[in-house]
Amino acid sequence: MQIDEDRPTGGVDVVVFGHGPAADRLAAACRSTGRPVRTVTLPTEAAEPLIGIVDFLARPESPHRAVLVGAGPLGVAGLAVADRHPERVAAVVAFDLPATPPEAEWVSCPTLLLPPAAADLPALGSFLDRVAGNLDDASSCQARPPALTPALLNDPETLGQLRAAGPVHRVSLVATTPTWVLTGHEVTTTTLADPRLMGELEMTAGFRLSPPGGNTDHRGEQDLVTIDADLHARLRRLVAPHLTPRRVDALRPRIQRETDRLLDAIDPGAVTNLVESFARPLPIVVLCELLGVPEADRGYVEDWLIRRMREWPPDPHGDVDDYLGELIAARRARPGDDLISAVVRAEGAALDEADLVSAARWIMVGGHRAPMALLANGVAALLGEPTQWRRLVDAPGLVETAVEELMRYVTPFPVGLARIAAAPIEVAGRTIAADSLVAASLIAANHDPARFTDPEALDIGRSVNPHLSFGHGHHYCVGAALARAEAQVAFGTLARRFPGMRLAVDTRDLHYRQNRMRYLLELPIVLQPAGPPAATAA
């Protein structure tokens, strides 16, 4: 990838992806508008143009926000990136499109779509002129009424202002029915426990209704919760009785073994990307241990969760269901001490194998993202506060309260999954009509000064910590005990084995993705076995 750029003059740049005369022509047209322009050499025939664009945005030197310009597959990829990363994309210009691609349906920022052989380059200039008034405003990239974007849902100042103004707010969210966001701790716990929020459908975390007739189809990242509400409840009843503290405690030695195995593979004196080498693979291997996936098949599962689940549009992933069905059959023939075997034994002939396939898939998709974010973001938070890291090193008994505090402080899912109000609900003096969406800002609730003393401070010894990172009520996370055990083993092992662990970059240079989850794209650290951690700028 080669990047040529004008000297930037603002927080938003026009970025032209492509190569050759066509890209040069687009760049020249963009420069004529007076905006900063970067050209990124990314061949149109690249196998995965979306990955190339995301890789560019992941670079520390990439612009805070960008207008993405590309032709053909690069233009389509720009639309997909805008859907995934709305906080980074101010507008999209896609040339040489034979038809409107489905990716354009969900994009929330302004778009200019031009057909093949369109020579109307003045349209590009007028488009950029039309949106130029909003380009340097990080809070408004939508052509529709300004929406509460994922970036703002992670912004402490924005959330603090909302919380101070009241505990519940009607907001504009892209392509949805009327939506309300809860921002206070008390109102969140009260409202999420209301049975009228069961609704008829579970919602995706992107606030999109499940498509008719597609309740159990795989839909990439949306597959996490895009299922019928009755099916969701049935899957919980199927597996929850077997995700017991006793089973989780029995897994701890294996979690410890896998934690040590991953850390043993890292050179303790070299810079490593802890996301890639530890935070991402550990949750996946723990899930494989939980479900009884043989070691030889774990690469297949990891490829599905890490690579294939991110593809857009996603393929049906039917082979995954076939694999899980074969795994269930193997456990019928030869039960083990895993979760699938426990369900098979308990249900016997009454087992609906399709439900168990769905439940296993649901656990894997939902059970690796939040732990990954907690491990990476939690390490960054601790090393960004050296006194807190030293407390944990010196007092390993604090690991349980440290994990709870990191869950509160980091809040991997900043916004809980939206629910449909099955009937009108009165919330803090406001009437939420039936069929409206209701979502809780978990990060706002977790930083509510009415519930937490000094909520913006990281205090790993905080003894009273009723955080809501696992949700509340009938949607409390079914895997909470497993997530806690995994985090306690991981952070405890890091503190014991690598007390001198330090960041290899300044905390201000860490690069987060801020969508429905907030997680680090990479975490450069050095696993020093001894010596005080280096102080880093906050």
Side-chain angles (χ1 to χ4, degrees):
M1 180 185 296
Q2 179 180 338
I3 304 172
D4 299 312
E5 59 184 286
D6 301 335
R7 182 177 298 276
T9 60
V12 177
D13 293 353
V14 175
V15 182
V16 177
F17 294 92
H19 72 292
D24 293 341
R25 184 165 59 102
L26 292 179
C30 293
R31 289 190 182 95
S32 69
T33 68
R35 305 294 304 177
V37 175
R38 303 186 186 201
T39 58
V40 179
T41 301
L42 198 64
T44 305
E45 63 274 11
E48 299 184 62
L50 186 149
I51 292 177
I53 296 175
V54 172
D55 285 346
F56 166 76
L57 292 177
R59 296 182 174 214
E61 67 271 18
S62 64
H64 177 63
R65 296 180 67 225
V67 177
L68 306 183
V69 181
L74 291 172
V76 175
L79 293 168
V81 171
D83 179 40
R84 294 186 181 193
H85 301 272
E87 78 284 0
R88 302 296 304 282
V89 181
V92 177
V93 179
F95 280 83
D96 296 337
L97 299 180
T100 301
E103 287 82 357
E105 178 181 357
W106 299 111
V107 175
S108 58
C109 60
T111 60
L112 176 64
L113 310 180
L114 295 176
D120 188 19
L121 285 181
L124 174 62
S126 61
F127 173 77
L128 294 179
D129 287 343
R130 179 163 54 86
V131 299
N134 293 327
L135 290 184
D136 292 317
D137 179 1
S139 66
S140 61
C141 69
Q142 282 69 25
R144 314 170 200 194
L148 194 58
T149 67
L152 293 181
L153 290 173
N154 285 282
D155 180 62
E157 183 177 354
T158 299
L159 294 173
Q161 291 172 352
L162 283 174
R163 189 173 53 232
V168 58
H169 302 272
R170 170 77 180 269
V171 298
S172 172
L173 289 169
V174 177
T176 70
T177 55
T179 303
W180 298 78
V181 169
L182 312 173
T183 56
H185 189 281
E186 182 179 358
V187 74
T188 295
T189 56
T190 301
T191 306
L192 292 186
D194 193 316
R196 289 173 293 180
L197 286 187
M198 290 290 288
E200 296 178 356
L201 294 173
E202 292 299 314
M203 303 300 301
T204 70
F207 303 103
R208 299 172 186 166
L209 281 167
S210 305
N215 292 330
T216 58
D217 292 344
H218 291 275
R219 299 186 177 277
E221 290 190 344
Q222 297 180 45
D223 187 53
L224 174 59
V225 288
T226 309
I227 56 177
D228 178 86
D230 289 338
L231 175 59
H232 179 263
R234 195 162 74 242
L235 299 187
R236 287 181 65 96
R237 288 194 298 268
L238 185 65
V239 298
H242 308 286
L243 269 172
T244 61
R246 181 177 179 181
R247 179 173 300 283
V248 170
D249 286 342
L251 274 176
R252 280 182 179 265
R254 284 181 273 176
I255 298 173
Q256 184 67 65
R257 181 192 67 204
E258 296 301 330
T259 296
D260 287 329
R261 181 182 63 81
L262 289 169
L263 294 176
D264 287 343
I266 301 173
D267 183 347
V271 176
T272 184
N273 175 8
L274 200 70
V275 173
E276 181 177 349
S277 60
F278 184 68
R280 183 178 294 150
L282 181 61
I284 294 175
V285 74
V286 168
L287 289 169
C288 288
E289 290 285 346
L290 173 72
L291 296 172
V293 175
E295 188 170 350
D297 297 339
R298 292 176 184 179
Y300 168 77
V301 172
E302 182 174 9
D303 180 70
W304 169 52
L305 290 173
I306 297 303
R307 181 183 64 84
R308 293 174 60 192
M309 286 293 295
R310 296 182 178 184
E311 291 178 351
W312 190 263
D315 63 52
H317 299 178
D319 59 297
V320 176
D321 282 0
D322 292 340
Y323 172 80
L324 292 172
E326 293 170 2
L327 186 61
I328 293 168
R331 293 298 171 264
R332 277 193 185 276
R334 183 176 295 179
D337 61 353
D338 53 85
L339 181 67
I340 287 179
S341 295
V343 175
V344 167
R345 280 192 297 264
E347 297 294 316
L351 174 66
D352 184 331
E353 290 196 2
D355 275 1
L356 185 50
V357 166
S358 296
R361 171 164 38 86
W362 171 56
I363 288 171
M364 286 195 289
V365 174
H368 81 279
R369 292 190 182 100
M372 176 196 72
L374 175 62
L375 292 177
N377 296 5
V379 167
L382 286 170
L383 297 185
E385 298 284 348
T387 57
Q388 296 300 309
W389 173 243
R390 178 51 55 186
R391 284 181 73 188
L392 183 58
V393 167
D394 294 340
L398 287 175
V399 69
E400 291 187 10
T401 57
V403 166
E404 298 305 307
E405 175 67 349
L406 289 171
M407 286 294 305
R408 182 196 73 84
Y409 190 79
V410 169
T411 312
F413 279 101
V415 181
L417 304 175
R419 311 296 175 198
I420 298 176
I425 302 174
E426 292 292 324
V427 178
R430 307 290 297 274
T431 299
I432 297 178
D435 298 324
S436 297
L437 301 186
V438 181
S441 173
L442 301 181
I443 192 170
N446 282 346
H447 289 251
D448 188 346
R451 193 66 182 84
F452 299 95
T453 301
D454 199 6
E456 300 308 319
L458 176 65
D459 176 8
I460 67 168
R462 192 183 295 270
S463 58
V464 179
N465 197 342
H467 68 77
L468 300 178
S469 294
F470 290 119
H472 186 74
H474 46 265
H475 291 287
Y476 186 80
C477 177
V478 71
L482 180 64
R484 283 189 167 102
E486 183 179 327
Q488 289 166 10
V489 171
F491 285 108
T493 302
L494 287 168
R496 184 184 73 253
R497 292 185 55 179
F498 304 105
M501 181 172 63
R502 62 179 176 84
L503 288 171
V505 296
D506 192 283
T507 55
R508 291 170 294 188
D509 294 328
L510 294 175
H511 211 61
Y512 291 85
R513 174 189 173 180
Q514 295 187 157
N515 207 321
R516 60 187 175 92
M517 285 183 63
R518 181 179 186 267
Y519 61 87
L520 281 160
L521 298 168
E522 61 178 10
L523 180 58
I525 69 162
V526 177
L527 291 176
Q528 289 185 190
T536 54

